[in-house]
């Protein structure tokens, strides 16, 4: 598979621009491709249940907010991820040049740590965009309002009762639990993905992996991370769908009391399916765009 030949376009020569463009394309592609599965997952996790939340009807409800938020959210993630990773690698490279360094000391274990830290920073940055769009999207998916616009209007209409700050808090409801879900997820997914890519580069003696290879590795890493973080996703979904703001601990107790341990695994099948496929599309598209922009042949 061959990427587009190198160009001299200065607008795409910086790492920032490459991550920005590739991330935006990847985010939009995966969100639109797998939106129906995401809707079913949200409805399964809703306290009202699948049928009461709309069943299999209107599976594209709320797609407007996802469309608006996917590109900037993914772009912000990859800009932060690639930038943070480069800074950590530069720091380690500087340490390696110190004269008192032990010759031959194995540094392989530090790369996954760099990827964990960079991915965590990327998720925290992306949540500035992702959380409001998730709140609107999931309420539309759960049939609380007929569309994303209706959800947004409903939230904004509460300004007279709760004030501007209250509206802001409503838009960012679930921020904390979203961070608690996304950071462990990416701390699992991205080191796995980067490790598999590094292994493939070593075995093929190539500078970079292809989009297909990146997609396969992204699918595997995403499936593992999705399964392990499903309980956090259930808590996040219940919090965003609740009629009133709830604290995490009472919510967890209520989920346990009403549904037992199985309630924390609600929607695990669609979640693994969605994120496994999403990992393939997201990281495959990102790799394709990144390779094309940089002119890398694979």
């Amino acid at each position: 598979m061959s990427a587009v030949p190198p160009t001299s376009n200065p607008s795409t020569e910086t790492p920032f621009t490459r991550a920005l463009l590739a991330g935006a394309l990847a985010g939009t592609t995966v969100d639109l491709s797998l939106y129906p599965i995401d809707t079913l997952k949200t409805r399964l996790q809703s306290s009202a249940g699948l049928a009461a939340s709309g069943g299999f009807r209107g599976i594209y409800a709320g797609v407007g907010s996802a469309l608006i938020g996917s590109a900037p959210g993914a772009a912000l993630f990859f800009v932060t991820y690639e930038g943070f990773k480069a800074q950590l690698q530069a720091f380690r490279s500087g340490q390696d040049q110190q004269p008192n360094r032990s010759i031959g000391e194995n540094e392989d274990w530090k790369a996954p740590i760099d990827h964990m830290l960079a991915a965590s920073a990327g998720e925290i940055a992306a949540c500035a965009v992702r959380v409001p769009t998730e709140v609107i999207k999931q309420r539309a998916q759960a049939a609380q309002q007929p569309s994303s616009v209706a959800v947004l209007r409903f939230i904004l209409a509460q300004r007279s009762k709760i004030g501007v700050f209250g509206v802001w808090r409503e838009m960012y409801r679930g921020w904390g639990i979203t961070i608690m879900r996304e950071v462990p997820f990416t701390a699992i997914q991205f080191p796995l993905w980067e490790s598999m890519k590094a292994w493939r580069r070593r075995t093929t003696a190539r500078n970079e992996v292809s989009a297909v290879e990146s997609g396969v590795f992204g699918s595997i890493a995403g499936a593992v991370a999705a399964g392990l973080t499903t309980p956090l996703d259930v808590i996040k979904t219940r919090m965003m769908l609740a009629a009133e703001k709830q604290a995490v601990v009472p919510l967890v107790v209520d989920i346990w009391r009403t549904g037992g341990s199985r309630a924390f695994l609600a929607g695990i099948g669609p979640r693994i399916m969605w994120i496994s496929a999403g990992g393939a599309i997201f990281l495959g598209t990102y790799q394709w765009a990144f390779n094309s922009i940089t002119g890398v042949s694979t």
Side-chain angles (χ1 to χ4, degrees):
M1 177 177 176
S2 298
V4 176
T7 67
S8 58
N9 184 356
S11 65
T12 60
E13 288 180 354
T14 67
F16 174 87
T17 307
R18 291 194 293 266
L20 181 74
L21 296 176
L25 177 62
T28 303
T29 301
V30 70
D31 281 354
L32 291 182
S33 300
L34 301 176
Y35 195 82
I37 300 176
D38 181 42
T39 298
L40 294 177
K41 185 270 300 181
T42 297
R43 291 175 178 177
L44 283 168
Q45 292 180 345
S46 170
S47 58
L50 175 63
S53 298
F56 293 91
R57 302 183 308 276
I59 56 177
Y60 276 94
V63 71
S65 61
L67 184 62
I68 292 171
S70 58
L76 189 55
F77 170 82
F78 275 110
V79 165
T80 306
Y81 174 72
E82 295 290 355
F84 207 82
K85 184 174 70 171
Q87 291 297 321
L88 290 171
Q89 290 173 343
F91 176 73
R92 283 201 295 115
S93 178
Q95 283 191 321
D96 291 342
Q97 302 303 318
Q98 293 179 3
N100 60 345
R101 265 323 255 184
S102 300
I103 298 176
E105 185 176 339
N106 190 347
E107 295 287 314
D108 290 345
W109 65 272
K110 289 189 176 181
I113 302 298
D114 291 349
H115 300 148
M116 287 182 186
L117 294 174
S120 299
E123 284 296 349
I124 292 172
C127 279
V129 174
R130 184 176 299 153
V131 172
T133 57
E134 277 279 298
V135 168
I136 295 171
K137 179 194 74 173
Q138 291 197 326
R139 292 186 184 184
Q141 286 176 326
Q144 292 186 0
Q145 298 290 336
S147 66
S148 296
V149 174
V151 173
L152 180 59
R153 286 175 176 168
F154 177 79
I155 294 174
L156 294 178
Q158 299 180 62
R159 187 180 64 175
S160 59
K161 296 180 180 179
I162 60 178
V164 174
F165 182 68
V167 170
W168 181 85
R169 290 185 63 185
E170 191 70 14
M171 291 290 290
Y172 278 88
R173 184 192 291 190
W175 165 277
I177 191 61
T178 302
I179 295 293
M180 289 171 60
R181 181 197 67 173
E182 295 297 345
V183 167
F185 177 85
T186 52
I188 297 169
Q189 182 188 33
F190 272 77
L192 282 176
W193 177 61
E194 293 278 13
S195 297
M196 286 186 281
K197 289 206 304 175
W199 166 79
R200 186 60 177 168
R201 286 194 296 266
R202 288 195 303 269
T203 57
T204 59
R206 297 200 311 257
N207 291 330
E208 195 51 88
V209 301
S210 69
V212 172
E213 291 167 335
S214 177
V216 171
F217 299 151
S219 178
I220 296 170
V224 173
L228 293 176
T229 58
T230 295
L232 295 173
D233 188 54
V234 171
I235 298 169
K236 189 271 303 182
T237 300
R238 293 286 186 92
M239 182 172 289
M240 286 186 170
L241 295 180
E244 298 180 355
K245 185 177 177 61
Q246 291 182 278
V248 174
V249 174
L251 178 60
V252 170
V253 172
D254 182 63
I255 295 172
W256 180 273
R257 188 178 64 252
T258 57
S261 60
R262 294 183 61 182
F264 290 97
L265 298 178
I268 188 172
R271 176 171 165 79
I272 291 176
M273 183 193 312
W274 166 54
I275 293 182
S276 178
I281 297 171
F282 185 57
L283 295 174
T285 301
Y286 178 78
Q287 196 69 52
W288 173 83
F290 196 88
N291 290 351
S292 297
I293 292 169
T294 56
V296 174
S297 296
T298 56

